Amino acid sequence: MEKKCKLTISILASNRKDTIPKCLESIKPLLEKVDSELIVTDTGCDEDLLEIIRKYTDKVVRFQWCNDFAAARNVGLNMARGQWFMYIDDDEWFEDVSEIITFFNSDEEKEYDSANYIVRNYYSKEGAEYGEWVVGRIFRIYETTKFVGRIHEYVPFNPNKMKHLSAYAHHYGYVYESNEQRLAHSERNITLLEKEIDDNPTDARNYAHIYQEYRENNDPEKMLKYAEKAIENVDLSVTVDLSYDKVAIDEENFEEAKAVQKAQRDNVTQL
């Protein structure tokens, strides 16, 4: 049996030559200072980029892209030797991982079954404006641990205790060269979300995410349609982001979420 390590770091690599080197270099201190491994799932890298990746790991596995992010993530998860699993996208890179190193090299990690870090999403190339999202991308691996969702994939579980880390990753993936590029990206997302809705018609997450897409595309009628679907199907035991404004649907602010829905309906009426 292959020996376990403490942490598996996983990256999906899709030939982003401008950002993958930054991503890999940012996690290098983790690989050097924590008992860890790096698994890269190659979804379409050329040989030049693969040569760069192999300087950081020999665990590179080819994956034939099938429009399913969960399936791609599960490749790395299924190969993982780590007790813990952490993932980051190939267009993101950490500013500083020292806090993550401390977490894993102290006894503190024994008290938790998951941790989160921050993704700083920039709205311009200059980086002057950004929003920060807390993402739960660090977790213990159990027999049942598995990614689900063709897009906006996640691991469904209720952590007993989550460590909140202040470490953050830079992300310029929402800065587009043109409106055509933005629309193409949105259409891809909508297509995958529609398939998810067909397969899981009572999952409020998918309605919330497709609502976001139509919000960005300024389509008020479809925004209303999917906001109502999200409200109709929400499970009050979980938190679902209804919009980019981070209005969450849960027991504490369910009424606020419904107010957002009403305001959206009013906007549609006025247009």
Side-chain angles (χ1 to χ4, degrees):
M1 182 179 293
E2 195 172 12
K3 183 182 177 183
K4 288 278 189 180
C5 60
K6 181 167 287 187
L7 174 66
T8 294
I9 304 171
S10 180
I11 300 173
L12 298 187
S14 57
N15 216 40
R16 290 187 168 113
K17 296 182 179 181
D18 55 335
T19 56
I20 289 182
K22 295 178 184 178
C23 178
L24 293 168
E25 195 63 22
S26 77
I27 63 172
K28 186 177 179 180
L30 273 167
L31 295 171
E32 293 174 340
K33 298 179 181 179
V34 175
D35 178 19
S36 59
E37 65 175 352
L38 171 62
I39 299 174
V40 175
T41 303
D42 166 25
T43 64
C45 298
D46 62 24
E47 281 303 316
D48 290 340
L49 190 54
L50 287 173
E51 185 176 345
I52 294 173
I53 292 171
R54 291 189 184 107
K55 294 178 181 178
Y56 295 84
T57 182
D58 59 358
K59 296 179 180 179
V60 181
V61 56
R62 183 77 177 96
F63 177 80
Q64 183 63 46
W65 183 244
C66 59
N67 293 318
D68 189 327
F69 284 92
R73 296 278 186 206
N74 283 326
V75 171
L77 180 59
N78 292 338
M79 290 179 58
R81 294 188 302 114
Q83 299 168 1
W84 286 75
F85 190 87
M86 183 183 92
Y87 65 102
I88 183 172
D89 288 335
D90 64 347
D91 61 349
E92 301 169 347
W93 61 94
F94 284 109
E95 175 69 20
D96 183 1
V97 294
S98 59
E99 185 182 17
I100 303 176
I101 292 170
T102 299
F103 175 71
F104 281 110
N105 284 346
S106 68
D107 289 335
E108 187 180 21
E109 58 93 9
K110 297 177 182 178
E111 302 174 13
Y112 297 89
D113 57 6
S114 63
N116 55 42
Y117 62 83
I118 297 165
V119 173
R120 183 173 288 186
N121 292 310
Y122 294 94
Y123 304 133
S124 67
K125 290 182 179 180
E126 295 75 24
E129 297 182 22
Y130 57 84
E132 291 189 338
W133 289 62
V134 177
V135 294
R137 296 185 184 173
I138 306 173
F139 45 83
R140 288 188 182 276
I141 298 176
Y142 300 103
E143 287 186 5
T144 57
T145 302
K146 180 182 179 181
F147 284 95
V148 298
R150 289 180 178 86
I151 188 169
H152 302 302
E153 69 282 5
Y154 68 103
V155 173
F157 78 109
N158 293 315
N160 293 318
K161 194 173 181 182
M162 175 177 282
K163 172 69 176 179
H164 299 287
L165 300 168
S166 59
Y168 66 90
H170 302 280
H171 179 232
Y172 285 82
Y174 297 143
V175 179
Y176 301 102
E177 295 295 333
S178 65
N179 191 52
E180 289 75 18
Q181 184 186 47
R182 181 189 68 78
L183 287 172
H185 185 268
S186 181
E187 282 302 315
R188 181 209 68 176
N189 291 355
I190 289 170
T191 298
L192 295 180
L193 285 166
E194 287 174 340
K195 290 179 180 178
E196 281 295 302
I197 289 170
D198 287 342
D199 290 347
N200 304 286
T202 60
D203 189 342
R205 286 176 54 92
N206 296 321
Y207 294 115
H209 283 304
I210 202 168
Y211 164 90
Q212 292 174 353
E213 295 296 335
Y214 285 116
R215 184 177 188 272
E216 285 296 290
N217 293 340
N218 194 27
D219 188 332
E221 291 188 5
K222 288 186 177 177
M223 287 165 62
L224 172 59
K225 173 185 175 180
Y226 290 111
E228 289 182 333
K229 282 290 187 180
I231 295 291
E232 178 185 335
N233 290 282
V234 71
D235 179 353
L236 293 180
S237 66
V238 299
T239 297
V240 178
D241 292 331
L242 180 62
S243 74
Y244 285 138
D245 300 319
K246 303 294 282 183
V247 176
I249 307 172
D250 59 23
E251 290 180 342
E252 293 183 0
N253 55 21
F254 185 51
E255 292 303 318
E256 181 180 359
K258 289 197 294 185
V260 171
Q261 178 197 33
K262 180 180 183 302
Q264 206 65 67
R265 183 185 297 110
D266 293 343
N267 286 341
V268 171
T269 303
Q270 293 169 8
L271 291 174

